[in-house]
Amino acid sequence: MKAIEERNKQLEIDDGKYIWHPFTQMQDYVKEESIIIEKGSGCILTDINGNEYIDGVSSLWTNVHGHRKKKLDVAVKKQLDKIAHSTLLGLSNVPAIRYAKKIVGITPKGLTRVFYSDSGSTAVEVALKIAFQYQQQARDGNPKKKKFISLYNSYHGDTIGSVSVGGIGLFHSVYKHLLFESIKAESPYCYRCAFGKSRPGCNLECLSRLEEIMNAHAHEVTAMVIEPLVQGASGMLLQPPGYLKKVRELCDRYNIFMIADEVAVGFGKTGKMFACEHEDVTPDIMTLAKGISGGYLPLAATLTTEKIYKGFLGEYEELKTFFHGHTYTGNPLACAAAIANLEVFEEEKVLDKLQTKIEHFKQRLQLFTALDNVGDVRQCGIMVGIELIADKNTKECFPPGARIGHRVIKEARKHGLIIRPLGDVIVLMPSLSISIDELDRLCDITYESIRTVTEKYKG
Ligand SMILES: *Cc1c(COP(=O)(O)O)cnc(C)c1O
């Protein structure tokens, strides 16, 4: 017992001493007691002291069927007995081929080619470079089309290219001199409409503005990048029904590629396998990561149409090659996990079973609107954002220094729930395998934590 306590103490010290945590103010991190996870099973995470927590954000939106999912464990172990890694640069491997075939079979019709990488950011980076290079060299390309349109409040990753098309001031403004210019359109953030309108009856003014932008810039724009249905990292902002389909139509009308960034929304989180399915949309390029390997290993894919792929074919000396490739691209272990991930969807009819959970979640979430400081509750499938505000009538925010969102998640931890806020939006995104009981606990703890923290703040 003593030895374990000592080991744990040392781990805590070394965590503070050696690790620079992402998106974390380290000055606070060292002061606040951290949680060090040692194990997981289903939707439960266990820390080094044996405390259990519900994994309320599916290990940052990645975990699909729960932790220690037998089928995925076995798939990775079996692959490990063959080979852990070999390169995809000019060489191939079995799981990468099998997965590419499988994913092309279930993604929107028209997407035929798979380019692997290892994170959402790289998948987006690849998409941007493909859309750019296509115009430079394809027979029907137009070298003047070099720019991108994206939405305010969008998030596409942390690398320089993906930040350039991102639209979250808090994360992105410090890097502005490093970025390439992109054209931003207002996002459909209906709770705080940029045009002061409200739905229904707004006539989707945001789309009219988008069309004006496309009309003015089509000659210099190669692609529009969009998170379909839900802008995740800015606080689960939901696009009104019909919005995405209209974006597709506008892209067609102005001869602009549509890049659908399904990194957050893909793999069942919206209730369908891919968010684009809700609006019957086929993008020209689609990016996948987060849930792709069931939350097991780093993997990402950028899918394109045959037309785009063909723009890169030519004699070697024409230099039409796509000069891009990360070292661990198409890693066999990750691809084996990704195959098993899809097999679980099929074998266990995951999406069918998910519908009752989504409905149950919806009913539980309705109660939250009664809380004084809950301004908006947004849900799409299993993805939820609860926006906390200081005043319901004015929609005034809490002062940033109050760190209300952060306090709520700290409170939730005390009661056995791990969640992570986006500013003052509380995010809930459990894995698809969560049970109704666990879902109830997740809602109960979240509700009580919001109530406790906001009452304490006011009192
Ligand atoms: C998380 C996310 C990314 C970036 O993925 P990483 O794996 O963190 O690089 C890109 N796009 C969207 C929509 C995301 O939610």
Side-chain angles (χ1 to χ4, degrees):
M1 209 50 225
K2 193 102 202 327
I4 292 178
E5 270 170 35
E6 268 168 28
R7 179 202 72 145
N8 291 355
K9 195 79 227 141
Q10 194 61 49
L11 283 168
E12 277 161 21
I13 293 167
D14 292 346
D15 181 26
K17 196 168 165 188
Y18 296 109
I19 298 187
W20 189 343
H21 288 267
F23 276 102
T24 303
Q25 176 43 260
M26 293 308 293
Q27 186 168 297
D28 297 340
Y29 186 85
V30 181
K31 274 184 286 177
E32 295 176 10
E33 81 275 37
S34 62
I35 292 178
I36 303 171
I37 299 300
E38 183 149 53
K39 301 188 284 197
S41 177
C43 286
I44 303 297
L45 298 170
T46 307
D47 72 11
I48 51 172
N49 298 308
N51 300 310
E52 295 189 342
Y53 309 87
I54 296 177
D55 187 357
V57 287
S58 53
S59 294
L60 218 73
W61 318 358
T62 62
N63 193 270
V64 181
H65 308 298
H67 299 280
R68 299 288 322 274
K69 181 74 183 170
K70 187 81 188 278
K71 179 130 193 152
L72 275 81
D73 287 4
V74 169
V76 174
K77 285 176 186 166
K78 267 176 90 172
Q79 181 57 39
L80 202 47
D81 283 335
K82 297 193 178 115
I83 190 169
H85 182 68
S86 70
T87 183
L88 217 58
L89 276 61
L91 207 63
S92 207
N93 73 66
V94 178
I97 298 169
R98 292 214 170 117
Y99 187 70
K101 182 174 181 182
K102 240 174 143 49
I103 195 71
V104 163
I106 62 165
T107 40
K109 220 168 151 235
L111 297 170
T112 56
R113 299 284 170 168
V114 181
F115 192 95
Y116 285 112
S117 63
D118 42 35
S119 76
S121 304
T122 56
V124 169
E125 211 70 39
V126 165
L128 298 175
K129 284 175 74 176
I130 287 177
F132 175 86
Q133 192 175 340
Y134 180 91
Q135 303 292 357
Q136 299 305 308
Q137 67 190 32
R139 209 160 295 146
D140 70 342
N142 175 353
K144 291 204 189 80
K145 285 163 86 74
K146 292 178 182 167
K147 291 188 182 166
F148 296 89
I149 297 175
S150 60
L151 297 178
Y152 284 110
N153 297 316
S154 62
Y155 177 79
H156 298 289
D158 296 335
T159 52
I160 296 302
S162 58
V163 170
S164 296
V165 292
I168 303 181
L170 176 69
F171 304 165
H172 298 153
S173 59
V174 65
Y175 305 110
K176 64 175 183 281
H177 295 298
L178 268 181
L179 309 178
F180 60 74
E181 185 200 339
S182 81
I183 301 159
K184 296 283 189 314
E186 292 295 347
S187 84
Y189 182 4
C190 298
Y191 182 63
R192 299 180 187 277
C193 176
F195 306 98
K197 304 262 168 129
S198 56
R199 278 201 352 111
C202 64
N203 245 328
L204 293 177
E205 179 145 346
C206 47
L207 278 171
S208 312
R209 268 300 292 151
L210 178 62
E211 175 154 20
E212 284 171 29
I213 289 172
M214 285 192 178
N215 192 23
H217 294 280
H219 64 282
E220 53 174 355
V221 167
T222 176
M224 166 154 184
V225 194
I226 185 168
E227 294 165 83
L229 248 53
V230 187
Q231 290 189 286
S234 55
M236 304 299 144
L237 309 182
L238 308 186
Q239 293 155 12
Y243 180 88
L244 191 71
K245 200 166 184 67
K246 197 66 204 284
V247 169
R248 172 74 270 186
E249 283 168 26
L250 291 175
C251 285
D252 283 340
R253 190 173 312 153
Y254 291 97
N255 190 22
I256 288 171
F257 287 135
M258 178 182 188
I259 302 175
D261 180 359
E262 292 243 7
V263 168
V265 292
F267 300 98
K269 292 200 207 84
T270 65
K272 291 186 189 280
M273 194 58 133
F274 301 106
C276 283
E277 290 173 32
H278 290 268
E279 303 248 327
D280 217 357
V281 157
T282 295
D284 300 285
I285 303 180
M286 182 162 147
T287 54
L288 299 171
K290 290 200 170 95
I292 192 172
S293 67
Y296 267 57
L297 287 154
L299 182 71
T302 304
L303 282 83
T304 77
T305 58
E306 202 64 12
K307 169 187 146 105
I308 290 179
Y309 174 77
K310 285 206 172 125
F312 288 75
L313 300 181
E315 298 304 323
Y316 180 78
E317 57 278 13
E318 290 179 80
L319 299 180
K320 288 187 174 180
T321 307
F322 186 44
F323 294 103
H324 190 111
H326 300 280
T327 308
Y328 281 96
T329 283
N331 174 261
L333 287 175
C335 288
I339 293 168
N341 179 38
L342 291 185
E343 284 171 352
V344 174
F345 270 103
E346 294 158 23
E347 288 163 14
E348 300 186 15
K349 304 208 173 350
V350 170
L351 292 175
D352 292 347
K353 288 185 198 150
L354 184 62
Q355 307 309 320
T356 39
K357 295 180 198 176
I358 292 172
E359 195 48 43
H360 185 80
F361 210 0
K362 188 170 165 192
Q363 271 157 22
R364 292 297 318 257
L365 288 166
Q366 272 163 11
L367 305 173
F368 283 70
T369 49
L371 287 167
D372 279 348
N373 299 99
V374 169
D376 197 21
V377 179
R378 299 183 281 268
Q379 179 195 10
C380 180
I382 204 100
M383 309 174 79
V384 171
I386 302 166
E387 182 165 337
L388 305 179
I389 47 164
D391 186 321
K392 250 185 183 163
N393 296 318
T394 61
K395 300 186 182 176
E396 189 188 322
C397 301
F398 284 106
R403 301 192 73 197
I404 292 293
H406 182 74
R407 286 199 217 175
V408 169
I409 70 120
K410 291 282 286 183
E411 180 69 21
R413 285 184 179 191
K414 287 193 224 157
H415 303 282
L417 169 65
I418 295 205
I419 46 180
R420 196 178 152 78
L422 292 161
D424 285 346
V425 176
I426 304 301
V427 174
L428 307 177
M429 202 187 299
S431 66
L432 309 186
S433 65
I434 193 167
S435 69
I436 294 285
D437 275 358
E438 288 165 334
L439 202 51
D440 279 337
R441 255 167 63 217
L442 169 80
C443 291
D444 288 342
I445 299 171
T446 307
Y447 185 94
E448 281 307 318
S449 302
I450 293 173
R451 205 173 56 86
T452 307
V453 168
T454 51
E455 277 176 11
K456 204 182 273 173
Y457 179 78
K458 285 181 287 190

